[in-house]
Amino acid sequence: MTQGVVIFAFNNERIDYLAMASWSARNIRRHLDLPTCVITDVTDTARTADFDQVVLTEPQQTQQHRYFYDYKASAVWHNINRSSVHDLTPWDHTLVLDADFVVASDQLKLLFNIDQDFIAHRMAYDVTGFSAFQDNNWFGTYKMPMSWATVMCFRRSKKAQLIFDTMQMIRDNWLHYRQLYSVSENTFRNDFALSIAMNIVDGHTLSTPAIPWDLASITANTKLTQLDPDTYKISYVTGDDKPKWIVLKQQDFHAMGKQALGAIVANPC
Amino acid sequence: MWRAGPELLTVLTICPDESAVLLDLYETPVKVDIRELELAAQQRWQEQMNAWLIEHEELNRNR
């Protein structure tokens, strides 16, 4: 059974997701020793040289904008063809990572030993322990449990196909599902679609299999710097204006502030 | 897959036979070699506890 990692990278006017994905591919090779594939619309082969495979596809046309807190501006957000990964992946067993997910250890290798057709993170947490992050683990008026699309591991299988097809159905009928789950946010998110899809496929039992550890996250209102290839410093200010910092060593995490990660990718240690 | 820890280690210790059926993290029944799993679980758990102890002592020194 072939195994590999897939990263989506569609740049917008502010964020170079392909540069993030290339840097991530080098980290993946170093820690996981797995081949990488990028799904992108960038045809410049020099820019995709870090990947073992390149799948060229156009991003789904969208007028969807998202506000990026660290840039203090909105930009087009090409995130809605994630559900096509089952058809686009070159591998039988695929790990899908967001371009802003930082691989700093070999922990993700464990996912390939789990006997499940599809798993994703159920819970995420703020590594500083400062922000009220728990609200992000549920959505809508009725507190639907979130499944995070940041890290997804799936085998080419009927169940995975069903989940991705259902995500597509939810995306195509987002207005209906948004009203059904009473979601106040305008922006379509893959996390919402994945959460609803996994629950539908599992018969509305709210017992979907999850990755057996939580997703470490670094929010956009912290300052992220790199100390060495696998060590990062996160500086932040508490509610009573006290400056604090923590250091993460060999810990994978989701960098929600794209600007800080972009600066690290441009000048890595 | 199992989470190594006191609960799993206790179950493995009290199993009299060489093999048994245990529920994994996803509540799937799996037939396992008790001694092999016990050794792996003990090693993983101790690795993590030792790493935690080192980190804890380092933090105490810094404070």
Side-chain angles (χ1 to χ4, degrees):
Chain A
M1 186 180 268
T2 56
Q3 297 176 342
V5 183
V6 164
I7 306 174
F8 282 80
F10 295 104
N11 295 343
N12 62 26
E13 65 271 31
R14 293 193 183 275
I15 303 170
D16 188 349
Y17 283 103
L18 184 60
M20 287 182 196
S22 296
W23 177 75
S24 189
R26 295 196 290 275
N27 287 336
I28 289 163
R29 193 164 300 115
R30 205 157 48 83
H31 286 294
L32 307 181
D33 195 24
L34 287 168
T36 55
C37 167
V38 66
I39 298 175
T40 185
D41 57 344
V42 176
T43 51
D44 180 357
T45 51
R47 296 212 59 208
T48 54
D50 284 314
F51 301 95
D52 298 282
Q53 304 218 29
V54 179
V55 174
L56 285 175
T57 180
E58 285 301 313
Q60 201 115 17
Q61 285 309 311
T62 177
Q63 293 305 310
Q64 178 163 274
H65 281 66
R66 177 184 168 191
Y67 186 78
F68 291 88
Y69 289 95
D70 44 345
Y71 284 93
K72 296 188 172 50
S74 294
V76 175
W77 197 26
H78 297 296
N79 77 324
I80 59 175
N81 59 352
R82 184 73 59 99
S83 48
S84 56
V85 68
H86 192 271
D87 301 325
L88 297 177
T89 179
W91 296 296
D92 304 319
H93 203 168
T94 303
L95 175 63
V96 185
L97 298 180
D98 271 5
D100 57 6
F101 184 83
V102 177
V103 176
S105 78
D106 62 357
Q107 189 178 24
L108 289 175
K109 265 180 153 173
L110 287 171
L111 297 181
F112 290 95
N113 296 333
I114 295 176
D115 187 21
Q116 293 287 332
D117 287 334
F118 191 108
I119 43 170
H121 280 291
R122 164 65 192 94
M123 300 288 280
Y125 65 97
D126 175 0
V127 293
T128 65
F130 175 59
S131 72
F133 201 83
Q134 283 307 309
D135 288 350
N136 291 308
N137 287 317
W138 287 267
F139 65 93
T141 305
Y142 313 112
K143 301 287 178 206
M144 176 72 184
M146 184 83 93
S147 287
W148 293 83
T150 312
V151 178
M152 301 185 287
C153 192
F154 68 92
R155 291 190 288 226
R156 208 186 288 281
S157 59
K158 191 159 188 174
K159 181 170 183 180
Q161 177 77 66
L162 263 174
I163 289 173
F164 287 119
D165 287 352
T166 310
M167 279 179 80
Q168 207 145 330
M169 175 185 75
I170 293 161
R171 186 197 71 194
D172 295 343
N173 299 281
W174 177 234
L175 186 60
H176 165 72
Y177 284 96
R178 194 183 151 206
Q179 288 170 348
L180 191 62
Y181 287 83
S182 195
V183 179
S184 57
E185 289 178 49
N186 285 326
T187 313
F188 169 83
R189 281 175 56 185
N190 284 302
D191 305 315
F192 295 155
L194 176 65
S195 312
I196 297 168
M198 285 182 83
N199 196 42
I200 290 174
V201 171
D202 278 313
H204 295 279
T205 56
L206 291 179
S207 59
T208 53
I211 293 173
W213 59 87
D214 296 342
L215 173 63
S217 309
I218 295 176
T219 58
N221 49 10
T222 58
K223 188 180 168 210
L224 174 68
T225 48
Q226 190 182 31
L227 302 180
D228 74 36
D230 296 316
T231 308
Y232 298 85
K233 183 176 177 180
I234 299 106
S235 310
Y236 59 101
V237 179
T238 61
D240 50 355
D241 275 343
K242 283 186 183 156
K244 295 204 170 184
W245 55 266
I246 59 165
V247 169
L248 289 187
K249 193 169 186 172
Q250 293 174 331
Q251 163 74 56
D252 301 344
F253 62 88
H254 181 204
M256 297 169 109
K258 318 292 180 246
Q259 202 166 25
L261 186 62
I264 289 170
V265 168
N267 284 300
C269 285
Chain B
M1 180 173 279
W2 287 267
R3 182 171 282 124
E7 191 184 334
L8 176 66
L9 286 167
T10 307
V11 171
L12 294 169
T13 308
I14 60 168
C15 275
D17 301 321
E18 286 304 303
S19 70
V21 177
L22 299 182
L23 290 181
D24 75 357
L25 275 179
Y26 300 98
E27 307 217 335
T28 308
V30 184
K31 190 169 186 180
V32 294
D33 181 321
I34 290 291
R35 297 306 145 227
E36 193 184 334
L37 184 60
E38 186 181 12
L39 183 66
Q42 175 72 27
Q43 284 174 346
R44 297 289 173 278
W45 187 57
Q46 269 309 310
E47 274 169 24
Q48 295 309 313
M49 289 301 111
N50 286 337
W52 193 348
L53 178 67
I54 291 164
E55 189 84 12
H56 192 260
E57 285 178 346
E58 177 70 28
L59 283 172
N60 277 344
R61 259 201 304 278
N62 290 343
R63 282 183 189 129

mmCIF file of all heavy atoms in Angstrom, chain A residues 110-111 113-116 119 209-213 247, chain B residues 1-3 24-30 44 55 62:
data_model
loop_
_atom_site.group_PDB
_atom_site.id
_atom_site.type_symbol
_atom_site.label_atom_id
_atom_site.label_comp_id
_atom_site.label_asym_id
_atom_site.label_seq_id
_atom_site.Cartn_x
_atom_site.Cartn_y
_atom_site.Cartn_z
ATOM 1 N N LEU A 110 2.670 7.758 13.173
ATOM 2 C CA LEU A 110 1.786 6.841 13.906
ATOM 3 C C LEU A 110 0.430 6.694 13.229
ATOM 4 O O LEU A 110 -0.218 5.663 13.346
ATOM 5 C CB LEU A 110 1.570 7.348 15.337
ATOM 6 C CG LEU A 110 2.740 7.216 16.308
ATOM 7 C CD1 LEU A 110 2.441 7.954 17.599
ATOM 8 C CD2 LEU A 110 3.005 5.747 16.601
ATOM 9 N N LEU A 111 0.008 7.748 12.525
ATOM 10 C CA LEU A 111 -1.331 7.718 11.915
ATOM 11 C C LEU A 111 -1.468 6.582 10.905
ATOM 12 O O LEU A 111 -2.566 6.067 10.690
ATOM 13 C CB LEU A 111 -1.651 9.058 11.246
ATOM 14 C CG LEU A 111 -1.710 10.270 12.176
ATOM 15 C CD1 LEU A 111 -2.070 11.522 11.393
ATOM 16 C CD2 LEU A 111 -2.726 10.048 13.285
ATOM 17 N N ASN A 113 -0.353 3.695 11.240
ATOM 18 C CA ASN A 113 -0.517 2.406 11.940
ATOM 19 C C ASN A 113 -1.923 2.228 12.502
ATOM 20 O O ASN A 113 -2.230 1.192 13.070
ATOM 21 C CB ASN A 113 0.470 2.314 13.115
ATOM 22 C CG ASN A 113 1.902 2.327 12.638
ATOM 23 O OD1 ASN A 113 2.183 1.918 11.514
ATOM 24 N ND2 ASN A 113 2.798 2.830 13.459
ATOM 25 N N ILE A 114 -2.749 3.268 12.391
ATOM 26 C CA ILE A 114 -4.096 3.184 12.954
ATOM 27 C C ILE A 114 -5.028 2.523 11.942
ATOM 28 O O ILE A 114 -5.066 2.908 10.778
ATOM 29 C CB ILE A 114 -4.617 4.589 13.334
ATOM 30 C CG1 ILE A 114 -3.753 5.163 14.467
ATOM 31 C CG2 ILE A 114 -6.078 4.541 13.751
ATOM 32 C CD1 ILE A 114 -4.109 6.569 14.871
ATOM 33 N N ASP A 115 -5.751 1.527 12.423
ATOM 34 C CA ASP A 115 -6.604 0.738 11.532
ATOM 35 C C ASP A 115 -7.969 1.415 11.358
ATOM 36 O O ASP A 115 -8.985 0.937 11.851
ATOM 37 C CB ASP A 115 -6.751 -0.680 12.116
ATOM 38 C CG ASP A 115 -7.479 -1.605 11.154
ATOM 39 O OD1 ASP A 115 -7.510 -1.300 9.958
ATOM 40 O OD2 ASP A 115 -8.028 -2.622 11.625
ATOM 41 N N GLN A 116 -7.964 2.579 10.711
ATOM 42 C CA GLN A 116 -9.201 3.308 10.420
ATOM 43 C C GLN A 116 -9.121 3.832 8.995
ATOM 44 O O GLN A 116 -8.036 4.217 8.541
ATOM 45 C CB GLN A 116 -9.360 4.504 11.376
ATOM 46 C CG GLN A 116 -9.594 4.130 12.825
ATOM 47 C CD GLN A 116 -10.984 3.576 13.074
ATOM 48 O OE1 GLN A 116 -11.935 3.906 12.375
ATOM 49 N NE2 GLN A 116 -11.098 2.704 14.068
ATOM 50 N N ILE A 119 -9.395 9.395 9.605
ATOM 51 C CA ILE A 119 -9.330 10.035 10.926
ATOM 52 C C ILE A 119 -8.867 11.486 10.786
ATOM 53 O O ILE A 119 -8.117 11.832 9.864
ATOM 54 C CB ILE A 119 -8.410 9.313 11.944
ATOM 55 C CG1 ILE A 119 -7.108 8.866 11.300
ATOM 56 C CG2 ILE A 119 -9.098 8.169 12.635
ATOM 57 C CD1 ILE A 119 -6.100 8.373 12.306
ATOM 58 N N PRO A 209 -14.372 8.357 14.708
ATOM 59 C CA PRO A 209 -13.015 8.087 15.186
ATOM 60 C C PRO A 209 -12.108 9.303 14.986
ATOM 61 O O PRO A 209 -12.199 9.971 13.955
ATOM 62 C CB PRO A 209 -12.549 6.907 14.333
ATOM 63 C CG PRO A 209 -13.501 6.791 13.212
ATOM 64 C CD PRO A 209 -14.742 7.521 13.572
ATOM 65 N N ALA A 210 -11.275 9.563 15.964
ATOM 66 C CA ALA A 210 -10.427 10.765 15.895
ATOM 67 C C ALA A 210 -8.975 10.404 16.141
ATOM 68 O O ALA A 210 -8.656 9.342 16.688
ATOM 69 C CB ALA A 210 -10.888 11.775 16.929
ATOM 70 N N ILE A 211 -8.089 11.305 15.746
ATOM 71 C CA ILE A 211 -6.661 11.153 16.035
ATOM 72 C C ILE A 211 -6.496 11.166 17.559
ATOM 73 O O ILE A 211 -7.074 12.022 18.229
ATOM 74 C CB ILE A 211 -5.864 12.306 15.369
ATOM 75 C CG1 ILE A 211 -5.940 12.171 13.846
ATOM 76 C CG2 ILE A 211 -4.421 12.324 15.847
ATOM 77 C CD1 ILE A 211 -5.336 13.321 13.065
ATOM 78 N N PRO A 212 -5.735 10.210 18.107
ATOM 79 C CA PRO A 212 -5.716 10.079 19.571
ATOM 80 C C PRO A 212 -4.857 11.112 20.310
ATOM 81 O O PRO A 212 -4.327 10.819 21.367
ATOM 82 C CB PRO A 212 -5.187 8.655 19.781
ATOM 83 C CG PRO A 212 -4.418 8.333 18.576
ATOM 84 C CD PRO A 212 -5.014 9.116 17.448
ATOM 85 N N TRP A 213 -4.659 12.276 19.754
ATOM 86 C CA TRP A 213 -4.082 13.387 20.511
ATOM 87 C C TRP A 213 -4.683 14.667 19.912
ATOM 88 O O TRP A 213 -5.234 14.639 18.816
ATOM 89 C CB TRP A 213 -2.544 13.415 20.434
ATOM 90 C CG TRP A 213 -1.969 13.526 19.064
ATOM 91 C CD1 TRP A 213 -1.715 14.670 18.375
ATOM 92 C CD2 TRP A 213 -1.542 12.452 18.207
ATOM 93 N NE1 TRP A 213 -1.180 14.378 17.137
ATOM 94 C CE2 TRP A 213 -1.055 13.025 17.013
ATOM 95 C CE3 TRP A 213 -1.533 11.054 18.330
ATOM 96 C CZ2 TRP A 213 -0.573 12.262 15.955
ATOM 97 C CZ3 TRP A 213 -1.049 10.302 17.263
ATOM 98 C CH2 TRP A 213 -0.582 10.897 16.102
ATOM 99 N N VAL A 247 8.465 27.997 24.706
ATOM 100 C CA VAL A 247 9.260 27.391 23.627
ATOM 101 C C VAL A 247 8.685 26.013 23.318
ATOM 102 O O VAL A 247 8.405 25.227 24.231
ATOM 103 C CB VAL A 247 10.742 27.288 24.048
ATOM 104 C CG1 VAL A 247 11.522 26.431 23.064
ATOM 105 C CG2 VAL A 247 11.375 28.671 24.145
ATOM 106 N N MET B 1 -4.511 0.493 17.989
ATOM 107 C CA MET B 1 -3.618 1.372 18.737
ATOM 108 C C MET B 1 -4.144 1.545 20.162
ATOM 109 O O MET B 1 -5.341 1.635 20.382
ATOM 110 C CB MET B 1 -3.524 2.743 18.045
ATOM 111 C CG MET B 1 -2.610 3.689 18.767
ATOM 112 S SD MET B 1 -2.327 5.218 17.886
ATOM 113 C CE MET B 1 -1.081 4.742 16.720
ATOM 114 N N TRP B 2 -3.193 1.568 21.107
ATOM 115 C CA TRP B 2 -3.551 1.780 22.515
ATOM 116 C C TRP B 2 -2.776 2.963 23.064
ATOM 117 O O TRP B 2 -1.730 3.336 22.508
ATOM 118 C CB TRP B 2 -3.198 0.545 23.362
ATOM 119 C CG TRP B 2 -4.118 -0.600 23.138
ATOM 120 C CD1 TRP B 2 -5.242 -0.897 23.849
ATOM 121 C CD2 TRP B 2 -4.004 -1.608 22.134
ATOM 122 N NE1 TRP B 2 -5.841 -2.022 23.339
ATOM 123 C CE2 TRP B 2 -5.097 -2.493 22.284
ATOM 124 C CE3 TRP B 2 -3.094 -1.875 21.117
ATOM 125 C CZ2 TRP B 2 -5.312 -3.589 21.466
ATOM 126 C CZ3 TRP B 2 -3.288 -2.955 20.305
ATOM 127 C CH2 TRP B 2 -4.392 -3.808 20.471
ATOM 128 N N ARG B 3 -3.277 3.541 24.131
ATOM 129 C CA ARG B 3 -2.545 4.598 24.822
ATOM 130 C C ARG B 3 -1.831 3.957 26.011
ATOM 131 O O ARG B 3 -2.490 3.393 26.897
ATOM 132 C CB ARG B 3 -3.514 5.693 25.284
ATOM 133 C CG ARG B 3 -2.817 6.852 25.959
ATOM 134 C CD ARG B 3 -3.767 8.010 26.207
ATOM 135 N NE ARG B 3 -4.013 8.774 24.999
ATOM 136 C CZ ARG B 3 -5.212 9.015 24.476
ATOM 137 N NH1 ARG B 3 -6.280 8.529 25.041
ATOM 138 N NH2 ARG B 3 -5.338 9.738 23.390
ATOM 139 N N ASP B 24 -9.233 -1.670 21.463
ATOM 140 C CA ASP B 24 -8.252 -0.613 21.205
ATOM 141 C C ASP B 24 -8.888 0.760 21.418
ATOM 142 O O ASP B 24 -10.024 0.860 21.901
ATOM 143 C CB ASP B 24 -7.624 -0.774 19.807
ATOM 144 C CG ASP B 24 -8.547 -0.357 18.682
ATOM 145 O OD1 ASP B 24 -9.711 0.006 18.946
ATOM 146 O OD2 ASP B 24 -8.112 -0.395 17.515
ATOM 147 N N LEU B 25 -8.160 1.821 21.063
ATOM 148 C CA LEU B 25 -8.661 3.197 21.282
ATOM 149 C C LEU B 25 -9.998 3.445 20.588
ATOM 150 O O LEU B 25 -10.763 4.307 20.989
ATOM 151 C CB LEU B 25 -7.652 4.202 20.717
ATOM 152 C CG LEU B 25 -6.489 4.618 21.603
ATOM 153 C CD1 LEU B 25 -5.615 5.594 20.842
ATOM 154 C CD2 LEU B 25 -7.001 5.267 22.877
ATOM 155 N N TYR B 26 -10.245 2.714 19.509
ATOM 156 C CA TYR B 26 -11.468 2.912 18.726
ATOM 157 C C TYR B 26 -12.527 1.867 19.049
ATOM 158 O O TYR B 26 -13.433 1.619 18.255
ATOM 159 C CB TYR B 26 -11.121 2.929 17.226
ATOM 160 C CG TYR B 26 -10.151 4.041 16.926
ATOM 161 C CD1 TYR B 26 -8.797 3.798 16.834
ATOM 162 C CD2 TYR B 26 -10.592 5.351 16.801
ATOM 163 C CE1 TYR B 26 -7.892 4.831 16.613
ATOM 164 C CE2 TYR B 26 -9.705 6.384 16.584
ATOM 165 C CZ TYR B 26 -8.366 6.117 16.487
ATOM 166 O OH TYR B 26 -7.480 7.156 16.284
ATOM 167 N N GLU B 27 -12.328 1.192 20.203
ATOM 168 C CA GLU B 27 -13.271 0.189 20.682
ATOM 169 C C GLU B 27 -13.429 -0.970 19.707
ATOM 170 O O GLU B 27 -14.507 -1.559 19.580
ATOM 171 C CB GLU B 27 -14.631 0.821 21.003
ATOM 172 C CG GLU B 27 -14.485 2.008 21.942
ATOM 173 C CD GLU B 27 -15.592 2.144 22.942
ATOM 174 O OE1 GLU B 27 -16.678 1.651 22.657
ATOM 175 O OE2 GLU B 27 -15.353 2.735 23.998
ATOM 176 N N THR B 28 -12.337 -1.267 19.011
ATOM 177 C CA THR B 28 -12.321 -2.425 18.126
ATOM 178 C C THR B 28 -11.638 -3.568 18.877
ATOM 179 O O THR B 28 -10.536 -3.379 19.399
ATOM 180 C CB THR B 28 -11.509 -2.112 16.842
ATOM 181 O OG1 THR B 28 -12.016 -0.906 16.286
ATOM 182 C CG2 THR B 28 -11.595 -3.238 15.837
ATOM 183 N N PRO B 29 -12.266 -4.746 18.952
ATOM 184 C CA PRO B 29 -11.595 -5.859 19.646
ATOM 185 C C PRO B 29 -10.422 -6.392 18.823
ATOM 186 O O PRO B 29 -10.579 -6.669 17.631
ATOM 187 C CB PRO B 29 -12.706 -6.907 19.792
ATOM 188 C CG PRO B 29 -13.758 -6.541 18.796
ATOM 189 C CD PRO B 29 -13.600 -5.096 18.450
ATOM 190 N N VAL B 30 -9.265 -6.493 19.453
ATOM 191 C CA VAL B 30 -8.060 -6.955 18.752
ATOM 192 C C VAL B 30 -7.407 -8.059 19.582
ATOM 193 O O VAL B 30 -7.250 -7.903 20.804
ATOM 194 C CB VAL B 30 -7.042 -5.796 18.555
ATOM 195 C CG1 VAL B 30 -5.835 -6.269 17.750
ATOM 196 C CG2 VAL B 30 -7.696 -4.596 17.893
ATOM 197 N N ARG B 44 7.233 2.585 26.185
ATOM 198 C CA ARG B 44 6.718 3.894 25.731
ATOM 199 C C ARG B 44 6.363 4.777 26.918
ATOM 200 O O ARG B 44 6.657 5.963 26.943
ATOM 201 C CB ARG B 44 5.475 3.715 24.849
ATOM 202 C CG ARG B 44 5.684 2.975 23.573
ATOM 203 C CD ARG B 44 6.496 3.780 22.558
ATOM 204 N NE ARG B 44 6.810 2.960 21.418
ATOM 205 C CZ ARG B 44 7.825 2.084 21.351
ATOM 206 N NH1 ARG B 44 8.646 1.937 22.377
ATOM 207 N NH2 ARG B 44 8.032 1.362 20.271
ATOM 208 N N GLU B 55 12.184 17.380 31.824
ATOM 209 C CA GLU B 55 11.617 18.705 31.504
ATOM 210 C C GLU B 55 11.185 19.426 32.790
ATOM 211 O O GLU B 55 11.446 20.613 32.966
ATOM 212 C CB GLU B 55 10.397 18.494 30.592
ATOM 213 C CG GLU B 55 9.819 19.744 29.997
ATOM 214 C CD GLU B 55 10.560 20.172 28.739
ATOM 215 O OE1 GLU B 55 11.365 19.390 28.208
ATOM 216 O OE2 GLU B 55 10.330 21.299 28.324
ATOM 217 N N ASN B 62 15.140 26.529 36.230
ATOM 218 C CA ASN B 62 15.002 27.870 35.641
ATOM 219 C C ASN B 62 14.213 28.812 36.538
ATOM 220 O O ASN B 62 14.499 29.988 36.611
ATOM 221 C CB ASN B 62 14.304 27.778 34.277
ATOM 222 C CG ASN B 62 15.205 27.117 33.250
ATOM 223 O OD1 ASN B 62 16.411 27.030 33.454
ATOM 224 N ND2 ASN B 62 14.616 26.646 32.166
#
